[in-house]
Amino acid sequence: RFGSVQLALTIWAPPRCYPSPVVGLDHCGASLEFEAAAMLTPRKRVCDMTCEDMRSELKVMRRKVSGDKSDLRSRLREVCNENDRGWLRNVHGQTTGGAYLASGEHRHVYAATYSKGPRKGEPAVYKVFKTPGCQFERQFFDQDIRAVQKAASIIREFNEMYEHYTLGEDAIKRIYLNQPEVWTSVGDETELCLVEPRIEGRFVKFNSNTGWVLDSDNLSEALTHFSYHRTKGAFLLCDIQGGEYPSHFVLTDPVVHSVTREFGATDGGPEAMTSFFARHRCGRFCQPGWARAAPYGMPARYAAVPGTRFFVR
């Protein structure tokens, strides 16, 4: 069992609006009934939704559905999925269970259930490092939290930029990001893990931190390109992965490359940024004139692999 000790990161999105397409991408997650309805009805931009529309979306996303139209819009535009669902009261969460779910390049992931707090009864995951001793070192978790914080700020600006765009009658899909917190074991307060809401449905890896790409025409590739352009080459958001649903994406475990290599072992710095752009073909969501670290087709420093790479300093 793991319980919350302190809030590792808090991010609030400014009230804006954006949305979602259906062209050529798989859909997974929500109920079949919800997906079928979404395929028949053009997806609306948040600014065009009625209160009933927004409550329906928020319910599917397991977010609060109370409040007036302004409250609903603000909640639907909030980028981060939090363990406390954005509640303002001081309620400490806790999880139970621990069935092995999957393993990434450097962490094991376990399925759990929130047993206390605003998400009580909902599915969760907790993540522990594979390397012995890492689960006791707060600095490793802090690097992950800071990468999520930077990723969230980039995603927020990306959503704001595309808030009025549509593909035919469908608005551009909203992008959300799971916000992990560092929790401690109830039995051993020195043992740490990252806890966040579980992404249900099919889990998809859209790109990696070495330039591997599932489909260059995906919205995820424009997000990565945008991150470099918007930050004037200081950062590149990649390792895009998570769930895709009829109206939105929910991402987790992002990697951020930085000029200063400030985000730990998965941050490959300028060389990794160059490797991404050496393989990046701009798709339908990229904008003309966005800056690049390298032209398409130039030699890449790193081999493109689907997994998350560690860069030796």
Side-chain angles (χ1 to χ4, degrees), residues 164-176:
H164 295 299
Y165 282 69
T166 60
L167 287 176
E169 296 183 336
D170 290 311
I172 306 301
K173 287 191 176 182
R174 305 185 303 274
I175 299 178
Y176 299 101

Side-chain angles (χ1 to χ4, degrees), residues 3 36 56 128 133 167 200 290 309:
S56 177
V128 297
L167 287 176
E200 298 183 273
W290 279 358
R309 173 173 175 155

